[in-house]
Amino acid sequence: MHRLGNSKNYWNVSEELADLSRSDPKPLVTVTLPALPQRITLDLAKTAIVIIDMQNDFCSPGGWLDSIGVNTAPLLAPAKPLQRLLPALREQGVPVLWVNWGNREDRMNLSPSVLHVYNPDGVSHGIGSPLPDTGSKVLEQGSWGAALIDRMVPEPGDIRVDKYRISGFWDTPLDSILRNLDVKTLLFAGVNLDQCVMHTLQDAVCLGYDAILLEDCCATSSPAYCTEAALYNIKQCYGFVAGSEDLLQACTRKERDEVI
């Protein structure tokens, strides 16, 4: 028999038989950790982490936000906790998805309302415009600005998804990829918390996924009240807010128990 599919969703086939039973199912890999509005237990075998917009145009000196006078230093804050957490998640088989702006060169799928956000007067450096100092085209697929920051190094098994809206689900294969991985629960990280992270999380919940925001793995360049409102609404309407250190400790305990 030969396997068709990925490690979480597959058939076994031969010339005579197609086995659709998805035999040898993954056992539950449950961990429990503190969160708000209440503690949560989740199955890591059906969990993925979605990391949004940890890319040069938003977070790095010389990127698009830096070029328009935004202090990008706070947007690097998620890097350190993610560097600690991701190896533990990968060890438990949790898929890591990097969801960054990566627009088409011709911008043919972008409406004026999307373009206006980044170029409100029509003459600024908006999506696809070359930055004056580096020539990198703003948020364009393949550009330096669309690449992950140096502190975030993907592993070969990680998954990259280009997005073209504030939400990572519109006009992208993100939902198809997650369903093909048989994922039910999503951990959210990245920037900006109150914009692209928040809207991707909202769409995830509307699509039927569980949502857990990792608060210390998120940041924003917006005023503090935007963070307060986003956290309030996530706890009130959409899901849960947790910390990466609690999740890391839960994963470490799980790994230690498996060894014993």
Side-chain angles (χ1 to χ4, degrees):
M1 301 291 281
H2 302 279
R3 178 173 291 187
L4 294 179
N6 60 66
S7 63
K8 297 190 176 187
N9 182 25
Y10 61 87
W11 295 351
N12 286 314
V13 301
S14 68
E15 186 176 352
E16 298 83 15
L17 175 67
D19 180 358
L20 317 186
S21 66
R22 292 161 175 81
S23 56
D24 189 27
K26 296 281 185 182
L28 294 177
V29 186
T30 58
V31 295
T32 300
L33 61 147
L36 293 172
Q38 66 223 86
R39 287 196 311 152
I40 52 175
T41 296
L42 59 142
D43 180 7
L44 295 176
K46 293 187 178 296
T47 297
I49 184 168
V50 177
I51 307 166
I52 297 174
D53 290 351
M54 293 297 296
Q55 59 195 107
N56 289 318
D57 262 339
F58 292 128
C59 304
S60 297
W64 174 67
L65 282 188
D66 179 57
S67 76
I68 61 174
V70 175
N71 178 17
T72 60
L75 299 179
L76 293 171
K80 187 173 182 179
L82 283 170
Q83 287 171 339
R84 286 174 46 79
L85 177 64
L86 292 181
L89 292 179
R90 293 188 183 104
E91 184 68 25
Q92 292 293 339
V94 175
V96 176
L97 291 93
W98 302 93
V99 181
N100 283 7
W101 283 88
N103 291 294
R104 293 167 54 99
E105 183 177 5
D106 60 14
R107 293 168 284 183
M108 286 298 292
N109 62 330
L110 299 184
S111 68
S113 63
V114 175
L115 296 171
H116 177 262
V117 173
Y118 301 92
N119 186 7
D121 57 8
V123 296
S124 299
H125 295 289
I127 291 175
S129 300
L131 292 176
D133 292 338
T134 64
S136 176
K137 292 186 176 181
V138 174
L139 300 176
E140 186 169 298
Q141 185 181 35
S143 69
W144 172 82
L148 288 172
I149 62 173
D150 290 342
R151 301 184 196 183
M152 296 281 87
V153 181
E155 292 290 324
D158 293 354
I159 301 164
R160 168 72 182 263
V161 178
D162 290 321
K163 72 182 180 72
Y164 320 106
R165 304 285 190 276
I166 296 292
S167 169
F169 281 100
W170 282 91
D171 203 17
T172 79
L174 179 57
D175 185 43
S176 296
I177 291 170
L178 293 170
R179 295 191 189 282
N180 201 33
L181 291 170
D182 196 25
V183 168
K184 306 298 184 186
T185 300
L186 296 177
L187 307 167
F188 283 93
V191 301
N192 279 297
L193 165 60
D194 55 313
Q195 297 172 13
C196 292
V197 177
M198 179 67 181
H199 287 287
T200 305
L201 183 150
Q202 288 174 304
D203 279 349
V205 174
C206 290
L207 288 166
Y209 295 98
D210 316 323
I212 303 165
L213 183 87
L214 299 176
E215 182 176 358
D216 60 322
C217 293
C218 297
T220 185
S221 56
S222 302
Y225 61 77
C226 296
T227 295
E228 294 173 7
L231 294 176
Y232 174 86
N233 280 316
I234 290 169
K235 290 180 286 187
Q236 180 74 13
C237 303
Y238 297 106
F240 304 88
V241 175
S244 68
E245 191 62 31
D246 290 323
L247 178 57
L248 177 61
Q249 291 179 13
C251 290
T252 303
R253 287 195 301 269
K254 188 70 179 177
E255 185 176 355
R256 186 168 57 245
D257 292 344
E258 289 171 353
V259 172
I260 295 173

